[in-house]
Amino acid sequence: MTASVYAPQRNGWKDSAPFVSTKMGQFSYFSEQVGTADWRGKNVLDFGGNIGNILKDPQSTIDEERYWCLDVIPQSIERGRAAFPRAHWVLYDRYCFFFNPSGIPRLSIPPMDAAFDYIVAYSVFTNTTPSDMLQLVTELRSMLAEGGALAFTFIDPRHVAWPAHYTGNNFQWRLERENDDLTETRAREMLRRVDGAAWSLLVNGRDLYVETEELRTYPPDEQESCHAFYTTDFMQQLFPSATILPPASDEMQHCCVIGK
């Protein structure tokens, strides 16, 4: 897992280093969602943390030696370890569309040598199926310390994130950035189908799967992007004990917070 599935040169990725995220602001986002900005002395697991940009946030109070990053991309782990050698870097060879197509499907999270006060996942479950998300959330919850919190983002397709600047919803925003070749008729039909669905997957910017995990087979070189959309109602049904929060820090993503 890593930050949202973007093809090279798209929002958050550099073409010269396509597996290195440039997304910033994760600490500001999550500290607002969990209600405290003082994470000193806390064990933090950044699930799908890429190169650890959460530590670079000017607002971050995470102790480097109490930070763990788990990611499926070897290059990201290597870059993160070089930048923050006192942190803990764990490679997770799980299958992930685009990022790790040769990985092991449904591989369990490797044993960690700590219980975590905060486990965060920014734009990780925005590219997974519900069954994968449920498995991973169950495993992550078991890794929390008493009183800890798991916080992860998701994208509600119907939410209008920036009404003053863009009147379309989140799905329309993504569709416009993923594929310029869609006809207006097909794009309108896709918007209609998503609007009536609890969840959906947009694959390679053109293939829409509504409430089904039965994807056709994509060869590794055709695994360009996969974006998952979940309504807030659906997420609350999946995780009835969770607190579902609206986007923070001018982001488009909602947050699901599960405590222990």
Side-chain angles (χ1 to χ4, degrees), residues 25-132:
Q26 291 93 327
F27 182 82
S28 299
Y29 175 91
F30 282 118
S31 62
E32 182 173 342
Q33 300 290 30
V34 302
T36 177
D38 187 2
W39 293 19
R40 291 170 294 185
K42 305 294 186 181
N43 289 340
V44 179
L45 172 60
D46 193 2
F47 186 66
N50 200 261
I51 60 171
N53 282 340
I54 194 171
L55 293 175
K56 299 178 182 180
D57 191 317
Q59 306 302 317
S60 178
T61 58
I62 300 172
D63 300 320
E64 182 178 334
E65 63 274 13
R66 289 182 174 271
Y67 173 81
W68 279 255
C69 178
L70 187 150
D71 204 278
V72 301
I73 304 169
Q75 299 97 319
S76 299
I77 293 296
E78 293 167 6
R79 288 279 295 269
R81 184 180 288 116
F84 300 102
R86 289 185 292 127
H88 310 265
W89 301 90
V90 181
L91 182 63
Y92 180 30
D93 191 25
R94 182 181 174 114
Y95 169 82
C96 183
F97 197 99
F98 177 68
F99 288 105
N100 195 26
S102 63
I104 302 169
R106 301 188 65 79
L107 179 68
S108 292
I109 298 171
M112 311 290 275
D113 58 351
F116 297 98
D117 301 287
Y118 295 113
I119 300 177
V120 298
Y122 185 89
S123 207
V124 172
F125 301 122
T126 58
N127 61 10
T128 61
T129 62
S131 61
D132 274 343

Side-chain angles (χ1 to χ4, degrees), residues 30 46 70 77 87 134 150 153 178 209 216 230:
F30 282 118
D46 193 2
L70 187 150
I77 293 296
L134 284 167
L150 163 64
T153 67
E178 285 290 300
Y209 298 87
R216 71 174 177 84
Y230 302 105

Side-chain angles (χ1 to χ4, degrees), residues 3-254:
S4 280
V5 175
Y6 297 119
Q9 290 187 315
R10 290 183 181 166
N11 184 21
W13 293 100
K14 294 180 180 179
D15 187 41
S16 60
F19 300 118
V20 175
S21 174
T22 60
K23 177 71 177 72
M24 300 294 291
Q26 291 93 327
F27 182 82
S28 299
Y29 175 91
F30 282 118
S31 62
E32 182 173 342
Q33 300 290 30
V34 302
T36 177
D38 187 2
W39 293 19
R40 291 170 294 185
K42 305 294 186 181
N43 289 340
V44 179
L45 172 60
D46 193 2
F47 186 66
N50 200 261
I51 60 171
N53 282 340
I54 194 171
L55 293 175
K56 299 178 182 180
D57 191 317
Q59 306 302 317
S60 178
T61 58
I62 300 172
D63 300 320
E64 182 178 334
E65 63 274 13
R66 289 182 174 271
Y67 173 81
W68 279 255
C69 178
L70 187 150
D71 204 278
V72 301
I73 304 169
Q75 299 97 319
S76 299
I77 293 296
E78 293 167 6
R79 288 279 295 269
R81 184 180 288 116
F84 300 102
R86 289 185 292 127
H88 310 265
W89 301 90
V90 181
L91 182 63
Y92 180 30
D93 191 25
R94 182 181 174 114
Y95 169 82
C96 183
F97 197 99
F98 177 68
F99 288 105
N100 195 26
S102 63
I104 302 169
R106 301 188 65 79
L107 179 68
S108 292
I109 298 171
M112 311 290 275
D113 58 351
F116 297 98
D117 301 287
Y118 295 113
I119 300 177
V120 298
Y122 185 89
S123 207
V124 172
F125 301 122
T126 58
N127 61 10
T128 61
T129 62
S131 61
D132 274 343
M133 179 169 60
L134 284 167
Q135 178 205 349
L136 290 167
V137 168
T138 298
E139 293 186 18
L140 290 170
R141 290 177 73 173
S142 71
M143 300 165 66
L144 286 172
E146 196 64 36
L150 163 64
F152 59 90
T153 67
F154 68 96
I155 297 178
D156 185 328
R158 304 171 190 168
H159 179 68
V160 179
W162 308 287
H165 309 288
Y166 180 77
T167 58
N169 61 31
N170 282 342
F171 182 79
Q172 183 176 351
W173 185 91
R174 172 54 58 197
L175 193 62
E176 291 176 357
R177 280 151 185 78
E178 285 290 300
N179 198 324
D180 296 329
D181 299 327
L182 288 177
T183 65
E184 183 177 347
T185 299
R186 185 177 179 192
R188 193 162 49 240
E189 174 63 13
M190 293 170 76
L191 283 163
R192 184 194 65 78
R193 292 177 63 200
V194 167
D195 188 55
W199 66 274
S200 58
L201 300 170
L202 177 65
V203 177
N204 293 345
R206 58 183 177 273
D207 298 337
L208 179 63
Y209 298 87
V210 175
E211 297 182 6
T212 179
E213 299 188 16
E214 298 299 319
L215 276 62
R216 71 174 177 84
T217 300
Y218 294 85
D221 62 349
E222 293 182 13
Q223 296 185 24
E224 300 168 6
S225 66
C226 178
H227 298 279
F229 299 89
Y230 302 105
T231 67
T232 54
D233 288 343
F234 181 69
M235 293 297 284
Q236 193 71 78
Q237 291 172 16
L238 285 182
F239 307 108
S241 66
T243 300
I244 306 298
L245 298 169
S249 304
D250 200 34
E251 298 274 358
M252 71 188 302
Q253 303 193 32
H254 283 68

